[in-house]
Coordinates of all heavy atoms in Angstrom, one line a residue:
Chain B
P21 N 25.9 93.1 106.2 CA 25.3 92.0 105.7 C 23.8 92.0 106.1 O 23.4 92.6 107.0 CB 26.0 90.8 106.3 CG 26.7 91.3 107.4 CD 26.9 92.8 107.3
H22 N 22.9 91.3 105.1 CA 21.5 91.2 105.6 C 21.3 90.4 106.9 O 22.0 89.3 107.1 CB 20.7 90.5 104.5 CG 20.5 91.3 103.3 ND1 19.6 92.3 103.2 CD2 21.2 91.4 102.2 CE1 19.7 92.8 102.1 NE2 20.7 92.4 101.3
P23 N 20.6 91.0 107.9 CA 20.4 90.4 109.1 C 19.7 89.1 109.0 O 19.9 88.1 109.9 CB 19.4 91.3 109.9 CG 18.9 92.3 108.9 CD 19.8 92.3 107.8
W24 N 18.9 88.8 107.9 CA 18.2 87.5 107.8 C 19.2 86.4 107.6 O 18.9 85.3 107.7 CB 17.3 87.6 106.4 CG 16.2 88.6 106.6 CD1 14.9 88.3 107.1 CD2 16.2 89.9 106.2 NE1 14.1 89.5 107.1 CE2 14.9 90.3 106.5 CE3 17.1 90.8 105.5 CZ2 14.6 91.8 106.2 CZ3 16.7 92.1 105.3 CH2 15.6 92.6 105.7
L25 N 20.4 86.8 107.1 CA 21.3 85.8 106.7 C 22.3 85.5 107.8 O 23.1 84.6 107.7 CB 22.3 86.3 105.5 CG 21.6 86.0 104.2 CD1 22.5 86.6 103.1 CD2 21.5 84.6 103.9
A26 N 22.1 86.2 109.0 CA 23.1 85.9 110.1 C 23.3 84.5 110.4 O 22.1 83.8 110.7 CB 22.6 86.6 111.4
G27 N 24.2 84.0 110.4 CA 24.5 82.5 110.7 C 24.2 81.6 109.6 O 24.4 80.3 109.7
A28 N 23.7 82.1 108.4 CA 23.2 81.1 107.5 C 24.3 80.7 106.5 O 24.4 79.5 106.1 CB 22.2 81.8 106.6
L29 N 25.3 81.5 106.3 CA 26.5 81.1 105.6 C 27.7 81.5 106.5 O 28.2 82.4 106.8 CB 26.5 82.0 104.3 CG 25.7 81.8 103.2 CD1 26.0 82.8 102.0 CD2 25.8 80.3 102.7
V30 N 28.3 80.3 106.9 CA 29.5 80.4 107.8 C 30.8 80.1 107.0 O 30.7 79.1 106.1 CB 29.3 79.3 108.9 CG1 30.4 79.3 109.9 CG2 27.9 79.4 109.6
P31 N 31.7 80.9 107.2 CA 32.8 80.7 106.3 C 33.5 79.1 106.6 O 33.4 78.7 107.7 CB 34.0 81.7 106.9 CG 33.1 82.8 107.5 CD 31.8 82.0 108.0
G32 N 34.0 78.7 105.4 CA 34.7 77.3 105.5 C 34.3 76.6 104.3 O 33.7 77.0 103.4
F34 N 32.5 73.1 102.7 CA 31.4 72.1 103.2 C 31.1 71.2 102.0 O 31.5 71.4 100.9 CB 30.2 72.9 103.5 CG 30.3 74.0 104.7 CD1 30.7 75.2 104.2 CD2 30.3 73.6 106.0 CE1 30.9 76.2 105.3 CE2 30.5 74.6 106.9 CZ 30.9 75.9 106.5
L44 N 30.6 80.2 97.2 CA 29.2 80.7 97.5 C 29.4 82.0 98.5 O 30.1 81.9 99.4 CB 28.5 79.6 98.3 CG 26.9 79.9 98.5 CD1 26.2 80.3 97.3 CD2 26.5 78.6 99.1
G45 N 28.7 83.0 98.2 CA 28.8 84.2 99.1 C 27.7 85.1 98.7 O 26.9 84.9 98.0
T46 N 27.9 86.3 99.4 CA 26.9 87.4 99.0 C 27.6 88.6 98.7 O 29.0 88.7 98.8 CB 26.1 87.9 100.3 OG1 27.0 88.2 101.3 CG2 25.2 86.6 100.7
C130 N 18.6 90.5 98.1 CA 19.8 90.1 98.5 C 20.5 89.5 97.4 O 19.9 88.8 96.6 CB 19.5 89.0 99.6 SG 21.1 88.3 100.4
F132 N 23.3 86.8 96.1 CA 24.3 85.8 96.3 C 25.2 85.8 95.1 O 24.9 86.0 94.0 CB 23.5 84.5 96.4 CG 22.7 84.4 97.6 CD1 21.4 84.7 97.7 CD2 23.3 83.9 98.8 CE1 20.7 84.6 98.9 CE2 22.6 83.8 100.0 CZ 21.3 84.2 100.1
S188 N 14.9 89.7 100.1 CA 15.6 89.6 101.2 C 14.8 88.5 102.1 O 15.4 87.8 102.9 CB 15.8 91.0 101.9 OG 16.6 91.7 101.2
Y190 N 13.5 86.1 101.3 CA 13.7 84.6 101.0 C 15.2 84.3 101.1 O 15.5 83.1 100.7 CB 13.2 84.3 99.7 CG 11.8 84.3 99.4 CD1 11.0 85.2 98.7 CD2 11.0 83.2 100.0 CE1 9.7 85.0 98.6 CE2 9.8 83.1 99.9 CZ 8.9 84.1 99.1 OH 7.6 83.9 99.0
A191 N 15.9 85.2 101.5 CA 17.5 85.1 101.4 C 18.0 83.9 102.3 O 18.7 83.0 101.7 CB 18.2 86.4 102.0
R192 N 17.3 83.7 103.4 CA 17.8 82.5 104.2 C 17.4 81.2 103.6 O 18.2 80.2 103.6 CB 17.2 82.6 105.7 CG 17.9 82.1 106.7 CD 17.4 82.2 108.1 NE 18.1 81.4 109.0 CZ 19.2 81.8 109.6 NH1 19.7 83.0 109.2 NH2 19.8 81.1 110.3
A193 N 16.2 81.2 103.1 CA 15.9 79.9 102.3 C 16.8 79.7 101.1 O 17.1 78.5 100.9 CB 14.3 80.0 101.9
V194 N 17.0 80.7 100.4 CA 17.9 80.6 99.2 C 19.2 80.2 99.6 O 19.9 79.3 98.9 CB 17.8 81.8 98.3 CG1 18.9 81.8 97.3 CG2 16.5 82.1 97.8
A195 N 19.7 80.7 100.7 CA 21.1 80.3 101.1 C 21.2 78.7 101.4 O 22.0 78.1 101.0 CB 21.6 81.0 102.4
G196 N 20.0 78.3 102.1 CA 19.9 76.9 102.4 C 19.9 76.1 101.1 O 20.4 75.0 101.0
M197 N 19.0 76.5 100.1 CA 18.9 75.8 98.9 C 20.1 75.8 98.1 O 20.5 74.7 97.5 CB 17.8 76.6 98.0 CG 16.5 76.0 97.9 SD 15.3 77.3 97.3 CE 16.2 78.1 95.9
L198 N 20.9 77.0 98.0 CA 22.2 76.9 97.4 C 23.2 75.9 98.0 O 23.8 75.2 97.4 CB 22.8 78.3 97.3 CG 22.1 79.3 96.4 CD1 22.4 80.8 96.5 CD2 22.3 78.9 94.9
A199 N 23.2 76.0 99.3 CA 24.1 75.1 100.0 C 23.8 73.7 99.8 O 24.8 72.9 99.5 CB 24.1 75.4 101.5
A200 N 22.4 73.4 99.7 CA 22.0 71.8 99.5 C 22.4 71.5 98.1 O 22.9 70.3 97.9 CB 20.6 71.7 99.9
Y207 N 31.4 73.1 98.6 CA 31.3 74.6 98.3 C 32.2 75.3 99.5 O 32.3 74.8 100.5 CB 30.0 75.1 98.2 CG 29.2 75.0 99.6 CD1 29.0 76.0 100.6 CD2 28.5 73.7 99.8 CE1 28.2 75.8 101.6 CE2 27.7 73.6 101.0 CZ 27.6 74.5 101.9 OH 26.8 74.5 103.0
V209 N 32.7 78.9 101.4 CA 32.1 80.3 101.8 C 33.3 81.1 102.4 O 34.1 80.4 103.2 CB 31.0 80.0 102.9 CG1 30.5 81.4 103.2 CG2 29.9 79.1 102.4
Q218 N 31.6 86.9 105.8 CA 30.8 86.0 105.1 C 30.6 86.3 103.6 O 29.7 85.8 103.0 CB 29.3 86.0 105.7 CG 28.6 87.2 105.7 CD 27.1 86.9 106.0 OE1 26.5 86.1 105.4 NE2 26.5 88.0 106.6
M219 N 31.5 87.1 103.1 CA 31.5 87.4 101.8 C 32.2 86.4 100.9 O 33.3 86.1 101.3 CB 31.9 88.8 101.5 CG 31.2 89.8 102.3 SD 29.5 90.0 101.8 CE 29.7 90.3 100.1

Side-chain angles (χ1 to χ4, degrees):
Chain B
H22 283 282
W24 296 274
L25 275 175
L29 289 178
V30 182
F34 304 92
L44 184 57
T46 58
C130 181
F132 289 92
S188 291
Y190 285 113
R192 206 178 174 82
V194 171
M197 257 164 41
L198 287 169
Y207 65 97
V209 177
Q218 68 160 317
M219 303 296 302

